[in-house]
Amino acid sequence: MDREHRFPSPKAVGPLMLRSRKPGQHKARHMMDAPTPTTDADEHEPPVVDGKEPPISRGPSADAVLVRRTLAEIAPVADRVTSYFYALLFVQNPGLRDMFPVAMDTQRDRLLKALLTAAEHLDDTPVLTAYLENLGRGHRKYGTHSAHYPAVGEALIGALARYATKTWNDETQAAWVRTYTTISQIMIDAAAADERSAPAWWHAEVVSHDLRTPDVAVVTLRPDQPYPFLAGQYTTLETPWWPRIWRHYSFASAPRPDGLLSLHVKAVPAGWVSNALVHRARPGDVLRLGPPSGSMTVDHSTDTGLLCLGGGTGIAPIKALVEDVAEHGDRRPVDVFYGARSGHDLYDIDTMLRLQKTFPWLSVHPVTGAQGHLPDAVCRYGPWGERDAYLSGPLGMVRRGVDALRGVGVPSERIRHDFLAELAPAGSG
Protein backbone atom coordinates (compact mmCIF):
# COMPACT_ATOMS: atom_id res chain seq x y z
CA MET A 1 0.00 0.00 0.00
CA ASP A 2 1.24 3.50 -0.81
CA ARG A 3 2.53 5.35 2.23
CA GLU A 4 0.13 8.29 1.75
CA HIS A 5 -2.81 5.96 2.31
CA ARG A 6 -1.63 4.41 5.55
CA PHE A 7 -3.89 5.03 8.48
CA PRO A 8 -2.83 7.66 11.02
CA SER A 9 -2.72 6.97 14.71
CA PRO A 10 -6.28 6.69 16.08
CA LYS A 11 -5.54 9.45 18.57
CA ALA A 12 -4.88 11.86 15.73
CA VAL A 13 -8.02 11.32 13.70
CA GLY A 14 -11.66 12.20 14.10
CA PRO A 15 -14.93 11.59 12.27
CA LEU A 16 -14.00 12.96 8.86
CA MET A 17 -17.12 12.10 6.90
CA LEU A 18 -20.15 12.27 9.16
CA ARG A 19 -22.40 15.27 9.03
CA SER A 20 -22.13 17.47 12.11
CA ARG A 21 -24.54 16.74 14.96
CA LYS A 22 -25.55 18.37 18.18
CA PRO A 23 -24.84 16.70 21.51
CA GLY A 24 -27.36 13.94 22.11
CA GLN A 25 -28.19 13.56 18.43
CA HIS A 26 -25.89 10.61 17.88
CA LYS A 27 -28.49 8.00 18.83
CA ALA A 28 -31.29 6.98 16.51
CA ARG A 29 -34.58 6.41 18.31
CA HIS A 30 -35.01 2.89 16.96
CA MET A 31 -31.92 0.88 16.19
CA MET A 32 -31.36 -2.75 15.32
CA ASP A 33 -27.98 -3.69 16.50
CA ALA A 34 -27.47 -7.32 15.18
CA PRO A 35 -29.37 -10.72 15.02
CA THR A 36 -32.80 -10.83 16.97
CA PRO A 37 -30.18 -13.01 18.47
CA THR A 38 -32.14 -15.60 20.34
CA THR A 39 -30.41 -18.64 18.89
CA ASP A 40 -26.85 -19.70 18.18
CA ALA A 41 -25.30 -17.41 15.62
CA ASP A 42 -24.15 -20.44 13.60
CA GLU A 43 -27.73 -20.33 12.35
CA HIS A 44 -28.62 -16.67 12.81
CA GLU A 45 -26.08 -13.88 12.55
CA PRO A 46 -26.40 -11.24 15.34
CA PRO A 47 -28.38 -8.73 15.67
CA VAL A 48 -27.39 -4.87 14.46
CA VAL A 49 -30.08 -1.92 14.07
CA ASP A 50 -33.79 -1.93 13.69
CA GLY A 51 -35.07 -1.94 10.17
CA LYS A 52 -35.34 1.81 9.84
CA GLU A 53 -35.34 3.19 6.33
CA PRO A 54 -32.64 5.82 5.69
CA PRO A 55 -34.00 9.35 5.81
CA ILE A 56 -34.70 11.17 2.57
CA SER A 57 -31.57 13.04 1.55
CA ARG A 58 -30.07 14.85 -1.39
CA GLY A 59 -28.50 11.66 -2.60
CA PRO A 60 -25.43 9.67 -1.65
CA SER A 61 -22.16 11.43 -0.99
CA ALA A 62 -19.28 11.07 -3.44
CA ASP A 63 -17.50 8.71 -1.07
CA ALA A 64 -20.66 6.63 -0.62
CA VAL A 65 -20.96 6.20 -4.38
CA LEU A 66 -17.38 4.97 -4.66
CA VAL A 67 -17.66 2.69 -1.63
CA ARG A 68 -20.87 1.09 -2.88
CA ARG A 69 -19.40 0.47 -6.30
CA THR A 70 -16.64 -1.48 -4.60
CA LEU A 71 -19.13 -3.43 -2.50
CA ALA A 72 -21.17 -4.33 -5.57
CA GLU A 73 -18.08 -5.59 -7.39
CA ILE A 74 -16.78 -7.79 -4.57
CA ALA A 75 -20.19 -9.23 -3.62
CA PRO A 76 -19.81 -12.33 -5.88
CA VAL A 77 -16.39 -13.12 -4.38
CA ALA A 78 -17.03 -12.09 -0.78
CA ASP A 79 -15.66 -15.37 0.61
CA ARG A 80 -12.34 -14.87 -1.15
CA VAL A 81 -12.17 -11.26 -0.03
CA THR A 82 -12.76 -12.36 3.55
CA SER A 83 -10.10 -15.08 3.42
CA TYR A 84 -7.54 -12.72 1.93
CA PHE A 85 -8.42 -10.03 4.47
CA TYR A 86 -7.63 -12.33 7.40
CA ALA A 87 -4.53 -13.72 5.70
CA LEU A 88 -3.15 -10.19 5.38
CA LEU A 89 -4.15 -9.30 8.92
CA PHE A 90 -2.49 -12.32 10.53
CA VAL A 91 0.64 -12.38 8.36
CA GLN A 92 1.32 -8.71 8.97
CA ASN A 93 0.20 -8.82 12.62
CA PRO A 94 0.71 -12.37 13.94
CA GLY A 95 0.03 -11.30 17.51
CA LEU A 96 -3.63 -10.63 16.63
CA ARG A 97 -4.33 -14.28 15.80
CA ASP A 98 -4.75 -15.20 19.47
CA MET A 99 -7.68 -12.78 19.75
CA PHE A 100 -9.74 -14.96 17.39
CA PRO A 101 -11.24 -18.44 17.81
CA VAL A 102 -9.06 -21.43 16.93
CA ALA A 103 -11.69 -22.54 14.39
CA MET A 104 -12.09 -19.46 12.23
CA ASP A 105 -14.81 -21.01 10.05
CA THR A 106 -17.48 -20.09 12.59
CA GLN A 107 -16.50 -16.47 13.02
CA ARG A 108 -14.11 -15.58 10.26
CA ASP A 109 -16.39 -13.27 8.30
CA ARG A 110 -17.91 -11.26 11.13
CA LEU A 111 -15.37 -8.48 11.41
CA LEU A 112 -15.31 -7.86 7.68
CA LYS A 113 -19.08 -8.09 7.50
CA ALA A 114 -19.42 -5.45 10.19
CA LEU A 115 -17.05 -3.13 8.37
CA LEU A 116 -18.89 -3.57 5.09
CA THR A 117 -22.27 -3.02 6.74
CA ALA A 118 -21.01 0.22 8.26
CA ALA A 119 -19.65 1.36 4.91
CA GLU A 120 -23.00 0.64 3.27
CA HIS A 121 -24.77 2.95 5.73
CA LEU A 122 -22.20 5.71 5.88
CA ASP A 123 -24.63 8.41 4.68
CA ASP A 124 -27.20 7.59 7.40
CA THR A 125 -25.54 9.32 10.33
CA PRO A 126 -27.84 8.23 13.20
CA VAL A 127 -27.96 4.57 12.12
CA LEU A 128 -24.26 4.43 11.34
CA THR A 129 -23.19 6.09 14.57
CA ALA A 130 -25.36 3.97 16.85
CA TYR A 131 -24.29 0.80 15.05
CA LEU A 132 -20.60 1.63 15.33
CA GLU A 133 -20.81 2.77 18.95
CA ASN A 134 -22.39 -0.56 19.81
CA LEU A 135 -19.63 -2.41 17.94
CA GLY A 136 -16.96 -0.38 19.70
CA ARG A 137 -18.37 -1.17 23.13
CA GLY A 138 -18.83 -4.83 22.25
CA HIS A 139 -15.29 -5.26 20.95
CA ARG A 140 -13.86 -4.50 24.39
CA LYS A 141 -14.61 -8.08 25.42
CA TYR A 142 -12.23 -9.36 22.73
CA GLY A 143 -9.37 -7.30 24.15
CA THR A 144 -9.48 -4.84 21.26
CA HIS A 145 -7.50 -1.60 21.74
CA SER A 146 -7.23 1.54 19.67
CA ALA A 147 -3.82 0.46 18.38
CA HIS A 148 -5.40 -2.52 16.62
CA TYR A 149 -7.59 -0.48 14.30
CA PRO A 150 -4.93 0.74 11.82
CA ALA A 151 -3.81 -2.85 11.22
CA VAL A 152 -7.36 -3.90 10.40
CA GLY A 153 -7.70 -0.94 8.05
CA GLU A 154 -4.53 -1.87 6.20
CA ALA A 155 -5.77 -5.43 5.69
CA LEU A 156 -9.18 -4.23 4.57
CA ILE A 157 -7.76 -1.87 1.95
CA GLY A 158 -5.36 -4.57 0.77
CA ALA A 159 -8.15 -7.10 0.30
CA LEU A 160 -10.42 -4.65 -1.50
CA ALA A 161 -7.63 -3.52 -3.81
CA ARG A 162 -6.89 -7.11 -4.79
CA TYR A 163 -10.47 -8.09 -5.68
CA ALA A 164 -12.17 -4.85 -6.79
CA THR A 165 -10.09 -4.76 -9.96
CA LYS A 166 -12.65 -2.90 -12.09
CA THR A 167 -13.60 -0.09 -9.73
CA TRP A 168 -10.42 0.35 -7.68
CA ASN A 169 -8.27 3.43 -8.30
CA ASP A 170 -6.62 6.16 -6.24
CA GLU A 171 -9.89 8.04 -5.78
CA THR A 172 -11.69 4.91 -4.56
CA GLN A 173 -8.87 4.02 -2.21
CA ALA A 174 -8.92 7.51 -0.72
CA ALA A 175 -12.69 7.21 -0.19
CA TRP A 176 -12.24 3.91 1.64
CA VAL A 177 -9.46 5.35 3.81
CA ARG A 178 -11.75 8.21 4.83
CA THR A 179 -14.60 5.78 5.43
CA TYR A 180 -12.55 3.45 7.60
CA THR A 181 -11.08 6.38 9.51
CA THR A 182 -14.60 7.44 10.41
CA ILE A 183 -15.65 3.91 11.32
CA SER A 184 -12.67 3.24 13.54
CA GLN A 185 -12.73 6.56 15.37
CA ILE A 186 -16.40 6.24 16.35
CA MET A 187 -15.73 2.73 17.67
CA ILE A 188 -12.62 3.86 19.55
CA ASP A 189 -14.42 6.79 21.16
CA ALA A 190 -17.38 4.61 22.20
CA ALA A 191 -15.10 2.01 23.76
CA ALA A 192 -13.17 4.68 25.68
CA ALA A 193 -16.38 6.19 27.03
CA ASP A 194 -17.74 2.78 28.00
CA GLU A 195 -14.54 1.87 29.80
CA ARG A 196 -15.16 4.64 32.30
CA SER A 197 -18.46 3.14 33.49
CA ALA A 198 -18.66 -0.58 32.66
CA PRO A 199 -16.46 -3.69 32.63
CA ALA A 200 -15.43 -5.28 29.34
CA TRP A 201 -17.38 -8.41 30.38
CA TRP A 202 -19.31 -9.92 33.27
CA HIS A 203 -18.96 -13.37 34.81
CA ALA A 204 -22.32 -15.07 35.24
CA GLU A 205 -23.06 -18.29 37.13
CA VAL A 206 -25.69 -20.71 35.87
CA VAL A 207 -28.24 -21.00 38.71
CA SER A 208 -30.89 -23.07 36.92
CA HIS A 209 -31.20 -25.05 33.70
CA ASP A 210 -34.71 -25.99 32.54
CA LEU A 211 -34.86 -28.29 29.51
CA ARG A 212 -38.22 -27.41 27.94
CA THR A 213 -37.88 -29.68 24.88
CA PRO A 214 -35.07 -32.01 23.76
CA ASP A 215 -33.36 -29.03 22.11
CA VAL A 216 -34.60 -25.93 23.96
CA ALA A 217 -33.41 -24.87 27.42
CA VAL A 218 -34.22 -21.91 29.63
CA VAL A 219 -30.97 -20.91 31.32
CA THR A 220 -30.99 -18.55 34.32
CA LEU A 221 -27.81 -16.69 35.24
CA ARG A 222 -26.53 -14.68 38.20
CA PRO A 223 -24.01 -12.02 37.08
CA ASP A 224 -21.13 -11.19 39.40
CA GLN A 225 -22.10 -7.50 39.40
CA PRO A 226 -25.15 -5.50 38.32
CA TYR A 227 -25.91 -5.97 34.63
CA PRO A 228 -27.89 -3.01 33.26
CA PHE A 229 -30.12 -3.78 30.29
CA LEU A 230 -33.54 -2.99 28.86
CA ALA A 231 -36.32 -5.39 27.94
CA GLY A 232 -35.91 -6.40 24.31
CA GLN A 233 -32.11 -6.24 24.35
CA TYR A 234 -29.64 -9.09 23.99
CA THR A 235 -26.22 -10.12 25.24
CA THR A 236 -23.16 -11.83 23.81
CA LEU A 237 -22.07 -14.95 25.63
CA GLU A 238 -18.92 -17.09 25.85
CA THR A 239 -18.82 -20.56 27.41
CA PRO A 240 -15.80 -22.15 29.11
CA TRP A 241 -15.93 -25.00 26.58
CA TRP A 242 -15.40 -22.81 23.47
CA PRO A 243 -13.07 -19.93 24.36
CA ARG A 244 -13.25 -16.79 22.21
CA ILE A 245 -16.46 -17.93 20.50
CA TRP A 246 -19.25 -15.54 21.39
CA ARG A 247 -22.92 -15.95 20.54
CA HIS A 248 -25.92 -13.63 20.84
CA TYR A 249 -28.98 -14.37 22.99
CA SER A 250 -31.92 -12.16 23.89
CA PHE A 251 -33.05 -11.70 27.46
CA ALA A 252 -36.32 -13.50 28.16
CA SER A 253 -37.53 -11.16 30.87
CA ALA A 254 -37.52 -7.53 31.84
CA PRO A 255 -34.90 -6.55 34.47
CA ARG A 256 -35.68 -8.36 37.73
CA PRO A 257 -35.29 -7.11 41.31
CA ASP A 258 -33.06 -10.09 42.13
CA GLY A 259 -30.73 -9.27 39.22
CA LEU A 260 -31.06 -12.70 37.62
CA LEU A 261 -30.98 -13.03 33.82
CA SER A 262 -32.96 -15.53 31.77
CA LEU A 263 -32.08 -16.79 28.27
CA HIS A 264 -33.89 -19.17 25.90
CA VAL A 265 -31.45 -21.32 23.94
CA LYS A 266 -32.18 -23.69 21.06
CA ALA A 267 -29.51 -26.21 20.10
CA VAL A 268 -28.95 -25.97 16.35
CA PRO A 269 -26.99 -28.34 14.11
CA ALA A 270 -23.26 -27.61 14.36
CA GLY A 271 -24.00 -24.89 16.91
CA TRP A 272 -21.09 -25.23 19.28
CA VAL A 273 -22.26 -22.72 21.87
CA SER A 274 -25.96 -23.51 21.67
CA ASN A 275 -25.37 -27.26 22.05
CA ALA A 276 -23.08 -26.66 25.00
CA LEU A 277 -25.66 -24.47 26.71
CA VAL A 278 -28.53 -26.88 26.10
CA HIS A 279 -26.82 -30.22 26.65
CA ARG A 280 -23.76 -29.53 28.78
CA ALA A 281 -24.29 -26.47 31.00
CA ARG A 282 -25.34 -27.13 34.59
CA PRO A 283 -25.87 -25.01 37.72
CA GLY A 284 -22.52 -23.80 38.99
CA ASP A 285 -20.95 -23.33 35.56
CA VAL A 286 -19.61 -19.83 34.95
CA LEU A 287 -20.06 -18.06 31.60
CA ARG A 288 -18.90 -14.66 30.36
CA LEU A 289 -21.29 -11.97 29.12
CA GLY A 290 -20.53 -9.00 26.93
CA PRO A 291 -22.40 -5.70 27.29
CA PRO A 292 -26.12 -5.49 26.49
CA SER A 293 -26.99 -4.42 22.97
CA GLY A 294 -29.95 -3.73 20.74
CA SER A 295 -32.74 -1.21 20.77
CA MET A 296 -35.78 -3.35 20.10
CA THR A 297 -37.22 -1.62 23.15
CA VAL A 298 -40.51 0.02 24.07
CA ASP A 299 -40.94 3.78 23.93
CA HIS A 300 -42.85 4.51 27.13
CA SER A 301 -43.42 8.15 26.23
CA THR A 302 -46.25 7.08 23.89
CA ASP A 303 -49.30 4.85 24.18
CA THR A 304 -48.94 3.31 20.73
CA GLY A 305 -50.08 -0.32 20.56
CA LEU A 306 -47.60 -3.13 19.96
CA LEU A 307 -47.64 -5.90 17.38
CA CYS A 308 -45.12 -8.62 18.27
CA LEU A 309 -44.00 -11.56 16.15
CA GLY A 310 -41.91 -14.21 17.91
CA GLY A 311 -40.72 -17.29 16.04
CA GLY A 312 -39.27 -20.21 18.03
CA THR A 313 -36.94 -18.91 20.75
CA GLY A 314 -37.65 -15.45 19.32
CA ILE A 315 -40.49 -15.40 21.84
CA ALA A 316 -37.90 -14.63 24.56
CA PRO A 317 -37.50 -10.85 23.96
CA ILE A 318 -41.21 -10.59 23.12
CA LYS A 319 -42.06 -11.96 26.57
CA ALA A 320 -39.65 -9.41 28.04
CA LEU A 321 -41.42 -6.58 26.18
CA VAL A 322 -44.80 -7.69 27.53
CA GLU A 323 -43.42 -7.70 31.07
CA ASP A 324 -41.92 -4.26 30.47
CA VAL A 325 -45.25 -2.81 29.33
CA ALA A 326 -46.93 -4.31 32.40
CA GLU A 327 -44.31 -2.97 34.81
CA HIS A 328 -44.74 0.55 33.44
CA GLY A 329 -48.49 0.37 34.04
CA ASP A 330 -49.31 0.80 30.37
CA ARG A 331 -52.67 -0.33 29.06
CA ARG A 332 -51.85 -0.05 25.39
CA PRO A 333 -53.03 -2.97 23.23
CA VAL A 334 -50.41 -5.64 22.66
CA ASP A 335 -50.89 -8.51 20.19
CA VAL A 336 -48.35 -11.34 20.31
CA PHE A 337 -48.15 -13.86 17.49
CA TYR A 338 -46.09 -16.84 18.65
CA GLY A 339 -45.01 -19.15 15.84
CA ALA A 340 -43.40 -22.59 15.66
CA ARG A 341 -43.43 -25.64 13.43
CA SER A 342 -45.82 -27.55 15.71
CA GLY A 343 -47.71 -27.14 18.94
CA HIS A 344 -45.00 -29.11 20.73
CA ASP A 345 -42.46 -26.48 19.70
CA LEU A 346 -44.49 -23.69 21.36
CA TYR A 347 -42.48 -24.44 24.49
CA ASP A 348 -43.40 -21.19 26.30
CA ILE A 349 -47.06 -20.96 25.33
CA ASP A 350 -48.30 -21.68 28.87
CA THR A 351 -46.36 -18.67 30.16
CA MET A 352 -47.74 -16.43 27.43
CA LEU A 353 -51.31 -17.59 28.05
CA ARG A 354 -50.93 -16.90 31.78
CA LEU A 355 -49.80 -13.39 30.95
CA GLN A 356 -52.85 -13.01 28.69
CA LYS A 357 -55.16 -13.97 31.57
CA THR A 358 -53.44 -11.44 33.83
CA PHE A 359 -53.43 -8.47 31.47
CA PRO A 360 -56.64 -7.64 29.56
CA TRP A 361 -54.72 -5.52 27.04
CA LEU A 362 -52.68 -8.55 25.89
CA SER A 363 -53.80 -10.94 23.15
CA VAL A 364 -51.72 -14.04 22.36
CA HIS A 365 -52.11 -15.87 19.04
CA PRO A 366 -50.33 -19.24 18.67
CA VAL A 367 -49.41 -20.04 15.06
CA THR A 368 -48.10 -23.41 13.87
CA GLY A 369 -46.83 -24.56 10.50
CA ALA A 370 -50.26 -25.95 9.66
CA GLN A 371 -51.52 -22.35 9.56
CA GLY A 372 -48.81 -21.19 7.18
CA HIS A 373 -45.92 -18.80 7.71
CA LEU A 374 -46.17 -16.62 10.81
CA PRO A 375 -46.16 -13.29 8.88
CA ASP A 376 -49.02 -14.48 6.66
CA ALA A 377 -51.09 -15.38 9.71
CA VAL A 378 -50.46 -11.95 11.21
CA CYS A 379 -51.67 -10.22 8.06
CA ARG A 380 -55.00 -12.03 8.27
CA TYR A 381 -55.70 -9.96 11.38
CA GLY A 382 -55.38 -6.23 11.79
CA PRO A 383 -55.32 -3.51 10.67
CA TRP A 384 -51.85 -2.89 12.04
CA GLY A 385 -50.93 0.44 10.46
CA GLU A 386 -51.02 2.31 13.78
CA ARG A 387 -48.97 -0.24 15.75
CA ASP A 388 -45.27 -0.42 16.56
CA ALA A 389 -44.15 -3.80 15.23
CA TYR A 390 -41.45 -6.02 16.81
CA LEU A 391 -40.03 -9.07 15.04
CA SER A 392 -37.81 -11.66 16.68
CA GLY A 393 -36.73 -15.06 15.43
CA PRO A 394 -34.93 -16.66 12.49
CA LEU A 395 -33.70 -14.38 9.73
CA GLY A 396 -36.08 -15.83 7.14
CA MET A 397 -39.08 -15.15 9.35
CA VAL A 398 -37.96 -11.61 10.07
CA ARG A 399 -37.34 -10.90 6.39
CA ARG A 400 -40.78 -12.21 5.38
CA GLY A 401 -42.34 -10.38 8.30
CA VAL A 402 -40.85 -7.02 7.35
CA ASP A 403 -42.09 -7.41 3.77
CA ALA A 404 -45.53 -8.56 4.88
CA LEU A 405 -46.03 -5.76 7.38
CA ARG A 406 -44.96 -3.12 4.89
CA GLY A 407 -47.41 -4.68 2.46
CA VAL A 408 -50.34 -4.17 4.85
CA GLY A 409 -49.49 -0.58 5.62
CA VAL A 410 -47.14 -0.64 8.61
CA PRO A 411 -44.63 2.20 8.07
CA SER A 412 -41.00 1.12 7.92
CA GLU A 413 -40.08 3.43 10.79
CA ARG A 414 -42.50 1.52 13.05
CA ILE A 415 -40.90 -1.89 12.37
CA ARG A 416 -38.22 -2.95 14.84
CA HIS A 417 -35.88 -5.93 14.63
CA ASP A 418 -32.18 -6.71 14.96
CA PHE A 419 -31.05 -7.68 11.47
CA LEU A 420 -29.52 -4.59 9.85
CA ALA A 421 -26.67 -6.38 8.10
CA GLU A 422 -28.81 -9.18 6.74
CA LEU A 423 -31.72 -7.07 5.51
CA ALA A 424 -29.52 -4.40 3.94
CA PRO A 425 -27.16 -6.36 1.68
CA ALA A 426 -23.78 -4.84 0.95
CA GLY A 427 -23.69 -3.37 -2.50
CA SER A 428 -27.30 -2.18 -2.60
CA GLY A 429 -27.60 1.36 -3.83
Side-chain angles (χ1 to χ4, degrees), residues 43-120:
E43 180 179 357
H44 308 301
E45 186 68 22
V48 238
V49 215
D50 99 33
K52 175 171 116 37
E53 288 288 321
I56 296 174
S57 67
R58 299 174 184 173
S61 65
D63 279 352
V65 171
L66 294 171
V67 164
R68 289 169 186 169
R69 284 176 184 168
T70 306
L71 296 175
E73 182 180 357
I74 68 169
V77 292
D79 287 345
R80 278 180 277 173
V81 176
T82 299
S83 296
Y84 192 71
F85 165 76
Y86 279 105
L88 286 177
L89 182 64
F90 296 151
V91 167
Q92 297 172 358
N93 307 273
L96 295 183
R97 182 62 182 87
D98 290 341
M99 296 173 62
F100 292 81
V102 174
M104 286 292 289
D105 57 327
T106 63
Q107 190 153 336
R108 149 181 93 78
D109 64 336
R110 291 183 185 173
L111 178 56
L112 181 60
K113 184 183 226 179
L115 293 171
L116 297 181
T117 299
E120 175 65 20

Side-chain angles (χ1 to χ4, degrees), residues 227-233 251-262 320-321 323-324 327-328:
Y227 188 96
F229 74 99
L230 300 175
Q233 290 190 307
F251 296 109
S253 65
R256 296 165 45 165
D258 60 11
L260 297 181
L261 309 172
S262 181
L321 294 177
E323 293 179 357
D324 189 42
E327 289 177 7
H328 280 78

Side-chain angles (χ1 to χ4, degrees), residues 1 5-8 10 81-82 84-97 99-100 104 108-116 118 132 135 139 142-161 168 176-177 179-181 183-185 187-188:
M1 185 185 304
H5 292 301
R6 291 197 177 276
F7 294 98
V81 176
T82 299
Y84 192 71
F85 165 76
Y86 279 105
L88 286 177
L89 182 64
F90 296 151
V91 167
Q92 297 172 358
N93 307 273
L96 295 183
R97 182 62 182 87
M99 296 173 62
F100 292 81
M104 286 292 289
R108 149 181 93 78
D109 64 336
R110 291 183 185 173
L111 178 56
L112 181 60
K113 184 183 226 179
L115 293 171
L116 297 181
L132 293 174
L135 281 182
H139 274 64
Y142 300 118
T144 304
H145 300 295
S146 60
H148 295 140
Y149 284 85
V152 172
E154 297 285 347
L156 174 66
I157 296 299
L160 294 173
W168 198 260
W176 270 98
V177 169
T179 297
Y180 182 77
T181 299
I183 289 171
S184 59
Q185 194 63 49
M187 293 177 65
I188 290 166

Side-chain angles (χ1 to χ4, degrees), residues 6-333:
R6 291 197 177 276
F7 294 98
S9 166
K11 297 292 186 183
V13 299
L16 304 181
M17 297 172 54
L18 294 180
R19 296 184 293 272
S20 62
R21 60 180 183 265
K22 298 176 183 177
Q25 278 188 326
H26 60 292
K27 299 277 188 186
R29 178 183 162 208
H30 305 303
M31 307 298 300
M32 47 175 187
D33 187 71
T36 294
T38 56
T39 60
D40 192 296
D42 285 342
E43 180 179 357
H44 308 301
E45 186 68 22
V48 238
V49 215
D50 99 33
K52 175 171 116 37
E53 288 288 321
I56 296 174
S57 67
R58 299 174 184 173
S61 65
D63 279 352
V65 171
L66 294 171
V67 164
R68 289 169 186 169
R69 284 176 184 168
T70 306
L71 296 175
E73 182 180 357
I74 68 169
V77 292
D79 287 345
R80 278 180 277 173
V81 176
T82 299
S83 296
Y84 192 71
F85 165 76
Y86 279 105
L88 286 177
L89 182 64
F90 296 151
V91 167
Q92 297 172 358
N93 307 273
L96 295 183
R97 182 62 182 87
D98 290 341
M99 296 173 62
F100 292 81
V102 174
M104 286 292 289
D105 57 327
T106 63
Q107 190 153 336
R108 149 181 93 78
D109 64 336
R110 291 183 185 173
L111 178 56
L112 181 60
K113 184 183 226 179
L115 293 171
L116 297 181
T117 299
E120 175 65 20
H121 292 271
L122 61 90
D123 271 345
D124 189 345
T125 302
V127 170
L128 175 65
T129 305
Y131 174 56
L132 293 174
E133 288 178 338
N134 177 71
L135 281 182
R137 290 188 293 267
H139 274 64
R140 290 182 59 213
K141 66 180 179 287
Y142 300 118
T144 304
H145 300 295
S146 60
H148 295 140
Y149 284 85
V152 172
E154 297 285 347
L156 174 66
I157 296 299
L160 294 173
R162 179 178 177 88
Y163 286 96
T165 56
K166 295 179 181 178
T167 58
W168 198 260
N169 53 35
D170 289 345
E171 185 181 13
T172 299
Q173 180 161 310
W176 270 98
V177 169
R178 288 189 292 269
T179 297
Y180 182 77
T181 299
T182 294
I183 289 171
S184 59
Q185 194 63 49
I186 295 174
M187 293 177 65
I188 290 166
D189 291 345
D194 191 59
E195 188 174 3
R196 293 192 287 269
S197 61
W201 63 76
W202 287 252
H203 288 103
E205 179 185 359
V206 177
V207 295
S208 71
H209 186 279
D210 178 12
L211 196 64
R212 295 289 182 87
T213 76
D215 60 358
V216 174
V218 175
V219 182
T220 302
L221 308 172
R222 179 186 293 113
D224 61 345
Q225 52 188 305
Y227 188 96
F229 74 99
L230 300 175
Q233 290 190 307
Y234 61 90
T235 187
T236 49
L237 181 153
E238 180 198 52
T239 72
W241 306 288
W242 299 107
R244 300 191 300 280
I245 296 180
W246 295 78
R247 293 294 183 261
H248 301 71
Y249 296 97
S250 294
F251 296 109
S253 65
R256 296 165 45 165
D258 60 11
L260 297 181
L261 309 172
S262 181
L263 309 174
H264 292 187
V265 183
K266 178 180 176 62
V268 299
W272 296 358
V273 175
S274 66
N275 277 281
L277 289 173
V278 172
H279 301 303
R280 187 169 182 174
R282 294 293 180 268
D285 290 332
V286 177
L287 314 176
R288 285 207 300 173
L289 304 179
S293 301
S295 56
M296 201 178 75
T297 56
V298 176
D299 180 0
H300 292 288
S301 67
T302 76
D303 58 1
T304 304
L306 275 58
L307 169 63
C308 302
L309 284 67
T313 50
I315 197 62
I318 301 301
K319 173 176 169 285
L321 294 177
V322 170
E323 293 179 357
D324 189 42
V325 170
E327 289 177 7
H328 280 78
D330 297 347
R331 297 188 62 84
R332 67 178 84 188

